[in-house]
């Protein structure tokens, strides 16, 4: 049995391969009780593979994985009893009506009156027509069935795999509201997405996965602060600075300069000291600095990969 | 155990149209075939020399040396009806067995079901039990149709219990094809491949078993065909040895399929590949 101090999800050097392709290359992860944990990465980065390992739908090749203190491979049912799962591409029995599908999932969860009541509340809130056949539902409405199934038993852990993909903004907002409510109710949420703004708005901590490896973990503000700083410098007219002077500074690169030769946009990695000392020699009209958002950080990781890939192709 | 019954109940409910879709035609075949014996009985004298003069290869498909039994009431039911029912239900087995898990797996439905607290054992055995009951209902409808047909025929007089005996053998051979298709679907890259392979085995088995009556060299090969152990003449008494042999083989295929399902990754759409339940390099 797990205690409150124990992580809800713990992965150590978790690997998973499909033939010669390694989808997870040794993931280390700790998700704490009661937090919303964002799992960021583009398609094919390994997000779904990690979640499917947590539910014992697929078996890891190596490493350690504990969900709610249990090994999903040894006690899959015990893990799933306490989890709610919502995939982005939800597939259901097309010929069954919604109420039959939900009744099936309720009965798999023990068929308690509380679960039925909550399912009815959620269906009403989402405006889900219970007598419609699944095949007659739009993608958004199908996803609502999944939302009800994932939330109806008030799970301790929610595993949401790109839950808002393809949904209209209203349903997206409903999902995010339900996530916030679940967190307030004490649930832990593992939220995989490639929609950065969404993760930034909802997650306490974020991990970025790239090529099956976790490349960054931290709170959203920590991660935003971690990367480079964007600087915009406007010098007085009489100042004569060449682009080479900026490039000569360690960790500073010029990204844009205006024709007037007095306005420069820079990317600064490491510290600002060298730049400030250099600028002190000139009359500075204004200096603006901006920390990049999660999105920029995310792209910086994938940018590096793309550059690496391009070099590899040569 | 609770999730086993839930899976069983919902699988049975879900397969109701499939069961009726196969059961009602079977009922109609029995209902239509049996009364035709009156015509055969009326024209027995003309038909006997025709059957006697048939080419041995053609004769092999209507009982071979025993082809003249077609003119007797029990022989007619055995050769005109029961000789073909295992082929029909064998093809049902190929489609239904291969689709029992693999169809939902390929559509991505199984992922969401297994994300709920239902163990793989409950899903596998619950669905297989529902499939077994579905097969019993199909066969039951077939038996009912044949019994009604016998009641309509003036020259046939069999009690319903006697008519039910060959259906025990029909069940055994169909169960074997269901479980063979299921086992193959757990191993092969796609459901279609498993269904096609089983379908080929059904048809090839039928042809080889029939031709073995005319071509002595095929007897050895026919020993490996499940159709050889089907008892068309079970109305005279059911031989339990081949019956239990077929059922035991079906049980072995079920266990093989279970290990395949228990040990492997659940596929998502488009994710194919050979999967061996006891693969040493897993």
């Amino acid at each position: 049995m797990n205690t409150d101090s124990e992580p809800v999800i713990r992965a150590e050097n978790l690997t998973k391969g499909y033939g010669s392709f390694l989808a997870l290359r040794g993931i280390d992860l700790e998700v704490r009780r009661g937090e919303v944990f964002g799992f960021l990465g583009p398609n094919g980065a390994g997000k779904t593979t990690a979640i499917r390992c947590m539910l014992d739908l697929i078996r890891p090749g190596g490493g350690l994985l504990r969900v709610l203190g249990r090994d999903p491979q040894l006690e899959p049912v015990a893990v799933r009893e306490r989890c709610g799962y919502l995939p982005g591409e939800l597939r259901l029995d097309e010929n069954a009506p919604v109420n039959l599908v939900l009744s099936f999932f309720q009965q798999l969860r023990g068929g308690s009156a509380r679960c039925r009541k909550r399912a009815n509340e959620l269906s009403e809130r989402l405006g889900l027509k219970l007598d419609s056949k699944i095949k007659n539902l739009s993608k958004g409405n199908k996803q609502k069935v999944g939302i009800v199934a994932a939330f109806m038993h008030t799970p301790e852990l929610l595993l949401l795999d790109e839950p808002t993909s393809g949904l209209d903004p209203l349903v997206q907002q409903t999902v995010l509201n339900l996530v916030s409510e679940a967190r307030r109710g004490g649930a832990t949420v593992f939220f995989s997405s490639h929609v950065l703004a969404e993760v930034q708005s909802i997650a306490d901590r974020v991990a970025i996965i790239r090529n099956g490896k976790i490349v960054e973990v931290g709170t959203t503000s920590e991660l935003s602060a971690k990367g480079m700083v964007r600087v915009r410098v406007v010098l007085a007219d009489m100042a004569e600075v060449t682009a080479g002077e900026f490039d000569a500074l360690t960790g500073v690169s010029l990204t844009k300069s205006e024709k007037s030769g007095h306005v420069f946009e820079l990317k600064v990695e490491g510290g600002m000291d060298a730049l400030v000392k250099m600028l002190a020699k000139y009359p500075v009209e204004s200096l603006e600095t901006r920390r990049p958002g999660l999105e920029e950080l995310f792209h910086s990781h994938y940018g590096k990969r793309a550059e690496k890939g391009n070099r590899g192709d040569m | 155990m609770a999730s086993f019954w839930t899976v069983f109940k919902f699988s049975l409910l879900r397969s109701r149209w499939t069961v009726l879709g196969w059961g009602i035609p079977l009922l109609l075949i029995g209902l239509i075939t049996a009364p035709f014996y009156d015509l055969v009985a009326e024209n027995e004298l003309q038909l006997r020399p025709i059957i006697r003069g048939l080419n041995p290869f053609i004769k092999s498909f209507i009982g071979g040396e025993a082809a003249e039994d077609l003119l007797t009431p029990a022989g007619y039911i055995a050769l005109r009806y029961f000789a073909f029912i295992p082929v029909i239900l064998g093809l049902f087995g190929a489609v239904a067995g291969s689709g029992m898990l693999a169809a939902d797996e390929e559509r991505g439905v199984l992922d969401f079901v297994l994300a709920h607290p239902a163990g793989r054992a409950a899903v596998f055995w619950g669905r297989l039990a529902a499939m077994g009951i579905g097969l019993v209902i199909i066969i039951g409808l077939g038996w009912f149709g044949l019994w009604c047909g016998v009641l309509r025929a003036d020259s046939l007089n069999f009690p319903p219990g006697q008519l039910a005996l060959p259906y025990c053998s029909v069940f055994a051979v169909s169960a074997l094809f269901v479980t063979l298709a299921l086992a193959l679907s757990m191993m092969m890259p796609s459901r279609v491949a498993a269904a096609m392979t089983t379908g080929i085995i059904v048809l090839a088995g039928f042809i080889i078993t029939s031709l073995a009556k005319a071509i002595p060299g095929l007897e050895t090969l026919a020993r490996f065909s499940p159709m050889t152990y089907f008892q068309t003449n079970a109305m005279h008494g059911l031989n339990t040895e081949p019956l239990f042999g077929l059922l035991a083989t079906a049980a072995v295929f079920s266990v093989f399929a279970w290990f395949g399902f228990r040990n492997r990754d659940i596929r998502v759409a488009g994710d194919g590949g050979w999967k061996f339940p006891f693969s040493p390099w897993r």
Side-chain angles (χ1 to χ4, degrees), chain A residues 193-208:
Chain A
S193 180
H194 57 254
V195 183
L196 306 148
E198 184 176 82
V199 170
Q200 198 159 15
S201 73
I202 203 165
D204 300 304
R205 288 198 307 140
V206 177
I208 297 178

Side-chain angles (χ1 to χ4, degrees), chain A residues 16 52 57 59 80 93, chain B residues 14 111 114 118 262 265-266:
Chain A
K16 174 68 191 169
R52 294 182 88 229
L57 299 173
R59 273 70 192 260
R80 292 178 206 147
D93 183 0
Chain B
R14 205 178 148 202
D111 242 29
L114 280 172
R262 191 189 69 165
D265 290 346
I266 302 298

Side-chain angles (χ1 to χ4, degrees), chain A residues 111-259:
Chain A
S112 72
R114 198 171 150 226
C115 184
R116 275 202 305 274
K117 192 178 164 223
R118 174 92 173 122
N120 289 338
E121 280 170 11
L122 285 167
S123 304
E124 207 171 304
R125 181 170 165 188
L126 294 164
L128 191 60
K129 285 182 186 164
L130 295 175
D131 54 351
S132 304
K133 279 199 173 181
I134 299 289
K135 66 180 170 194
N136 297 331
L137 298 180
S138 64
K139 180 180 168 28
N141 281 326
K142 274 182 198 163
Q143 195 72 352
K144 286 178 186 174
V145 180
I147 295 169
V148 176
F151 286 83
M152 67 185 174
H153 56 295
T154 9
E156 282 177 66
L157 172 63
L158 277 160
L159 297 168
L160 309 177
D161 187 10
E162 302 188 9
T164 57
S165 72
L167 297 181
D168 69 56
L170 286 175
V171 187
Q172 275 185 24
Q173 195 51 51
T174 309
V175 174
L176 298 179
N177 290 345
L178 282 167
V179 169
S180 302
E181 285 169 28
R183 193 216 345 222
R184 282 198 295 277
T188 308
V189 184
F190 188 83
F191 193 104
S192 124
S193 180
H194 57 254
V195 183
L196 306 148
E198 184 176 82
V199 170
Q200 198 159 15
S201 73
I202 203 165
D204 300 304
R205 288 198 307 140
V206 177
I208 297 178
I209 184 169
R210 189 185 88 183
N211 274 350
K213 268 192 103 63
I214 304 284
V215 289
E216 289 282 1
V217 187
T219 62
T220 49
S221 48
E222 270 171 11
L223 291 186
S224 298
K226 211 169 187 174
M228 69 335 196
V229 178
R230 297 264 179 208
V231 180
R232 187 170 191 271
V233 186
V234 181
L235 299 174
D237 285 350
M238 67 283 279
E240 285 180 15
V241 183
T242 58
E245 283 183 75
F246 289 113
D247 285 334
L249 299 171
T250 313
V252 177
S253 49
L254 183 67
T255 54
K256 196 178 165 187
S257 65
E258 284 184 11
K259 277 182 185 169

Side-chain angles (χ1 to χ4, degrees), chain B residues 55-213:
Chain B
N55 179 297
F57 289 105
I58 296 170
K59 222 190 234 184
S60 67
F61 285 93
I62 51 166
E65 289 303 311
E68 282 179 56
D69 286 355
L70 189 69
L71 303 171
T72 66
Y76 174 81
I77 297 295
L79 298 173
R80 282 288 292 127
Y81 180 79
F82 283 113
F84 302 100
I85 292 303
V87 179
I88 296 171
L89 286 177
L91 294 176
F92 162 80
V95 175
S98 65
M100 192 184 100
L101 290 160
D104 273 358
E105 195 178 7
E106 287 175 7
R107 285 199 298 260
V109 175
L110 203 58
D111 242 29
F112 199 58
V113 171
L114 280 172
H116 287 78
R120 290 193 189 198
V123 171
F124 181 89
W125 296 108
R127 285 191 175 200
L128 189 61
M131 178 79 71
I133 297 297
L135 188 57
V136 168
I137 294 170
I138 292 171
I139 288 174
L141 286 168
W143 164 82
F144 182 70
L146 184 65
W147 182 48
C148 291
V150 166
L151 289 179
R152 285 178 60 209
D154 298 327
S155 319
L156 294 175
N157 184 22
F158 297 112
Q162 193 183 353
L163 280 181
L165 288 175
Y167 283 107
C168 296
S169 193
V170 169
F171 175 79
V173 81
S174 308
L176 184 139
F177 287 122
V178 166
T179 53
L180 172 65
L182 175 62
L184 289 175
S185 74
M186 291 295 103
M187 212 175 73
M188 297 179 97
S190 75
R191 179 244 172 123
V192 174
M196 279 178 61
T197 308
T198 312
I200 289 167
I201 293 171
V202 170
L203 296 172
F206 174 72
I207 293 167
I208 289 166
T209 301
S210 301
L211 286 179
K213 290 167 193 157

